[in-house]
Amino acid sequence: MPGMRDSLAEIDRTIHEPARLALLTALSACKSADFLYLQRLIGLTPGNLSSHLSRLEEAGMIWVEKEIRAKRPHTRVGLTGAGREAIERHWQQLQALRDSAARIGASNDDENEY
Amino acid sequence: MPGMRDSLAEIDRTIHEPARLALLTALSACKSADFLYLQRLIGLTPGNLSSHLSRLEEAGMIWVEKEIRAKRPHTRVGLTGAGREAIERHWQQLQALRDSAARIGASNDDENEY
């Protein structure tokens, strides 16, 4: 059955990790988000969030901007064009994985042998 | 914003790992499947497949049955009731994660701050 191994091979583990999947998905819904907002939204410690953001920034999927507002430092984060494309494609790949499994079920009589 | 951190906290990493997600999803489409069939379907080496199956068996999500047919050993694998429930719930949780991100987008003016 073609399809499933291709869908699996294309799964990017940088994106698939649950916290990063949540981060990228949340960021895909807005232009940019504040560090503290993301931290509370996703439920991560500052250290964990920083480390996931660094990994995503290194992969070219997000931009990180530090600014001073009312004398306090703020960190803003947003998806790059590549990041937006990558998270959209990831959800499509997960759907493709699910669809190819459904086709297995439709194409045989319950037992699969090779 | 409630919802996202709850969806994330419920993601089971035993299931979420790409090869195991593919295996459980494929198995959810049939009563049982042959080891060789799964190996070619998912595109794994025998060693990798064995190791993922052991992990899923230990977690109580699949059963593994060894039998002799035409003097050759065959391994059959299938989901347990708990495994079937777990993979269905996992896909629902991923959908919930996606839906809660979409709600963020709908509820604000592009920029999220806390």
Side-chain angles (χ1 to χ4, degrees):
Chain A
M1 170 65 65
M4 201 137 195
R5 71 160 74 193
D6 308 315
S7 309
L8 180 63
E10 281 172 13
I11 296 284
D12 181 336
R13 285 160 194 260
T14 302
I15 303 175
H16 194 64
E17 193 284 328
R20 291 193 292 269
L21 184 63
L23 276 169
L24 292 171
T25 304
L27 287 171
S28 71
C30 51
K31 264 189 194 162
S32 67
D34 186 76
F35 187 94
L36 267 178
Y37 174 86
L38 283 176
Q39 197 193 317
R40 298 185 192 192
L41 177 74
I42 315 280
L44 295 171
T45 63
N48 270 340
L49 178 56
S50 286
S51 128
H52 287 305
L53 291 179
S54 297
R55 173 113 183 231
L56 293 172
E57 195 182 13
E58 281 159 26
M61 292 182 196
I62 62 164
W63 51 262
V64 178
E65 220 173 74
K66 288 174 205 291
E67 57 187 14
I68 305 289
R69 283 198 207 172
K71 296 190 184 172
R72 294 179 59 193
H74 279 262
T75 301
R76 293 203 71 73
V77 183
L79 288 186
T80 61
R84 196 166 291 275
E85 205 174 285
I87 185 64
E88 277 168 21
R89 202 173 47 239
H90 195 83
W91 282 111
Q92 285 164 6
Q93 282 160 350
L94 288 177
Q95 191 57 49
L97 190 80
R98 213 178 167 186
D99 291 345
S100 56
R103 279 198 301 275
I104 303 169
S107 70
N108 68 46
D109 198 15
D110 284 338
E111 286 214 353
N112 285 303
E113 307 206 30
Y114 204 89
Chain B
M1 170 66 64
M4 201 137 196
R5 70 160 75 195
D6 308 314
S7 309
L8 180 62
E10 281 171 14
I11 296 285
D12 180 337
R13 283 161 195 261
T14 302
I15 303 175
H16 194 64
E17 194 283 328
R20 290 193 292 269
L21 184 63
L23 276 169
L24 292 170
T25 304
L27 287 171
S28 72
C30 51
K31 265 190 194 163
S32 67
D34 186 76
F35 186 95
L36 266 179
Y37 173 86
L38 283 176
Q39 196 194 317
R40 297 183 193 193
L41 177 73
I42 314 281
L44 296 171
T45 64
N48 270 340
L49 178 55
S50 286
S51 130
H52 287 307
L53 291 179
S54 297
R55 173 111 183 234
L56 293 172
E57 194 182 13
E58 279 159 27
M61 292 182 195
I62 61 164
W63 52 261
V64 177
E65 220 173 72
K66 287 174 206 291
E67 57 187 14
I68 305 289
R69 283 197 207 172
K71 295 190 184 170
R72 294 179 58 194
H74 279 263
T75 301
R76 293 204 70 74
V77 183
L79 288 185
T80 60
R84 197 166 290 275
E85 205 174 284
I87 185 63
E88 278 169 21
R89 201 173 48 238
H90 195 82
W91 282 111
Q92 285 164 6
Q93 282 160 350
L94 288 177
Q95 190 57 49
L97 190 80
R98 213 178 168 186
D99 291 346
S100 57
R103 280 197 300 275
I104 303 170
S107 70
N108 69 46
D109 197 14
D110 284 338
E111 285 213 353
N112 286 302
E113 306 206 29
Y114 204 89

